[in-house]
């Protein structure tokens, strides 16, 4: 009974604090994500007021937060739009991998951590945070922008690539045989392919089965289906976030719109819990020793992500301002980077604090680059107006001809 009371008090304090921080961020026109993270640091181990009773509940809430963020993103798009995006964006996915994975691999080798740690740190620097970016796009009201499908295309390619990368990394870390790793990889690919096939071929049937005029029934069915698919996907070595995204893709029409309206408040609550949990899992004392290498890596890979988004948007025919917005939006790293670092800690213990510091930097900088990269680029590339010169003979003749 005492533990339950303590948990209720802690959860109440956390949610109240998040509400006040969110209101403060709204008043100054700023994304609340960095404030949520700093709150997590304050409530975590080594923080000012470490939690005692509610940490496990917050961890579960954080997982639900990521799932809901990706579900709501999926509800914005149809299966055919997703497939078209993947077909057109795969070169951008390749550029994304080259520009952002290589700096992490090189950093691990320079630090003398070995090839397996290099593969792990490459993943940490490669993958943008779908959860953070989904929240930022919503906060900045950019879900309808022309560059947003490009951003989502890159994120989906990254998330689907995780179905290949994570089994390979796990096999390397465990020293599993090539055959064992190949089997895990085939299961992952089969799962993603099966869910995509069902979403494409039978999306209307799924929407019809889920549809209900009763808001309560619709909420329960959609939420239950999403958590079930996300859990099965994770069990089959595929990201739970990818599973949730594909459920959103499979639902369309009035069902998608109704589910989106019902789930948006839940998403906002659990997404805030996710960012707090991210801060909770970090001991502030571990950050100072790795701050300089993390900062250098963050600067390099923030620039390479901006370049990735700019290139991807240019390929899609998006104009200058949208290209810079796409680049700035992709900067944030988050949940996948922490998962990868957590897997690799057994091989190289120092990768944990470095990845945490790196992600904290970019998850704070990411909402800022999403908002300010385009105005900054516009200011830097604005050409000064040239002074008017006297007309030459050809211009005078052309003017005279026009006046006749």
């Amino acid at each position: 009974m005492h533990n339950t009371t303590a948990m209720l008090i802690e959860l109440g304090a956390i949610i109240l604090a998040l509400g006040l921080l969110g209101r403060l961020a709204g008043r100054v026109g700023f994304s609340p994500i960095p404030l949520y993270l700093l709150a997590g640091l304050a409530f975590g181990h080594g923080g000012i007021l470490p939690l005692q009773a509610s940490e496990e509940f917050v961890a579960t809430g954080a997982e639900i937060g990521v799932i809901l963020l990706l579900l709501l993103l999926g509800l914005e798009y149809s299966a055919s739009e997703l497939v078209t995006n993947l077909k057109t964006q795969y070169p951008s996915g390749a550029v994304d991998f080259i520009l952002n994975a290589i700096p992490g691999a090189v950093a691990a080798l320079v630090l003398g951590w070995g090839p397996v740690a290099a593969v792990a740190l490459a993943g940490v620097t490669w993958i943008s945070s779908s959860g953070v970016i989904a929240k930022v796009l919503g906060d900045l009201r950019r879900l309808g922008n022309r560059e947003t499908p490009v951003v989502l295309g890159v994120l989906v390619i990254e998330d689907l690539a995780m179905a290949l990368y994570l089994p390979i990394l796990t096999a390397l870390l465990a020293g599993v045989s090539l055959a064992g790793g190949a089997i895990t990889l085939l299961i992952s690919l089969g799962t993603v392919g099966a869910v995509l096939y069902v979403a494409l071929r039978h999306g209307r049937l799924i929407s019809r089965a889920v549809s209900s005029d009763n808001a309560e029934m619709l909420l329960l069915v959609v939420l239950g289906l999403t958590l079930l698919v996300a859990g099965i996907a994770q069990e089959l070595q595929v990201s739970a976030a990818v599973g949730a995204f594909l459920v959103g893709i499979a639902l369309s029409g009035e069902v998608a719109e109704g589910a989106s309206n019902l789930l948006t408040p839940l998403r906002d609550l659990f997404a805030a819990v996710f960012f707090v949990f991210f801060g909770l899992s970090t001991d502030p004392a571990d950050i100072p020793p790795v701050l300089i290498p993390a900062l250098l890596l963050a600067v390099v890979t923030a620039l390479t992500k901006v370049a990735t988004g700019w290139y991807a948007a240019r390929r899609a025919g998006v104009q200058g301002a949208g290209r810079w917005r796409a680049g700035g939006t992709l900067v944030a790293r988050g949940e996948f980077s922490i998962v990868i670092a957590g897997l690799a800690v057994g091989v190289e213990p120092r990768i944990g604090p470095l990845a945490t510091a790196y992600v904290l930097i970019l998850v704070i900088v990411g909402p800022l680059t999403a908002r300010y990269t385009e105005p900054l680029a516009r200011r830097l590339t604005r050409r000064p107006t040239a002074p008017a010169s006297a007309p030459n003979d050809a211009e005078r003749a052309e003017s005279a001809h026009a006046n006749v």
Side-chain angles (χ1 to χ4, degrees), residues 323-379:
R323 295 175 192 176
W324 289 113
R325 284 195 297 269
T329 302
L330 285 169
V331 166
R333 303 324 195 261
E335 59 278 4
F336 271 132
S337 299
I338 292 300
V339 168
I340 292 164
L343 290 172
V345 163
V347 170
E348 175 49 66
R350 290 170 292 181
I351 201 171
L354 176 66
T356 300
Y358 168 80
V359 170
L360 272 172
I361 292 166
L362 287 184
V363 88
I364 290 171
V365 169
L368 299 176
T369 59
R371 190 181 188 108
Y372 297 114
T373 297
E374 183 258 322
L376 181 62
R378 194 178 345 122
R379 187 172 297 176

Side-chain angles (χ1 to χ4, degrees), residues 93-267:
V95 168
D96 180 30
F97 172 74
I98 292 165
L99 289 182
N100 296 289
I102 288 175
V106 169
L109 294 174
V110 167
L111 291 167
W113 291 355
V116 176
V119 172
L121 197 56
V124 170
T125 57
W126 170 25
I127 303 297
S128 296
S129 170
S130 302
V132 174
I133 291 168
K135 181 79 169 89
V136 168
L137 287 171
D139 287 346
L140 297 178
R141 297 180 181 176
R142 289 185 185 170
L143 287 172
N145 281 23
R146 182 138 187 248
E147 76 275 1
T148 297
V150 176
V151 171
L152 296 180
V154 172
L155 291 177
V156 170
I157 289 170
E158 287 182 351
D159 285 353
L160 292 176
M162 284 291 95
L164 300 174
Y165 172 82
L166 286 176
I168 292 170
L169 177 64
T170 306
L172 286 172
L173 293 170
V176 174
S177 67
L178 189 61
I183 290 168
T184 307
L185 191 58
L186 285 172
I187 292 171
S188 301
L189 285 173
T191 304
V192 172
V195 175
L196 260 180
Y197 175 81
V198 170
L200 272 170
R201 296 290 181 185
H202 307 294
R204 286 185 180 178
L205 290 174
I206 294 169
S207 294
R208 203 177 303 155
V210 167
S211 180
S212 175
D213 293 332
N214 186 312
E216 181 186 349
M217 294 303 106
L218 180 62
L219 175 64
L220 291 173
V221 171
V222 172
L223 185 57
L225 178 66
T226 304
L227 294 175
L228 179 64
V229 172
I232 293 170
Q234 192 152 297
E235 191 68 26
L236 294 171
Q237 308 298 320
V238 180
S239 158
V242 170
F245 183 83
L246 293 174
V247 170
I249 290 290
L251 301 177
S252 59
E254 291 181 7
V255 174
E257 189 178 341
S260 181
N261 291 335
L262 290 169
L263 287 164
T264 296
L266 269 181
R267 176 203 62 185

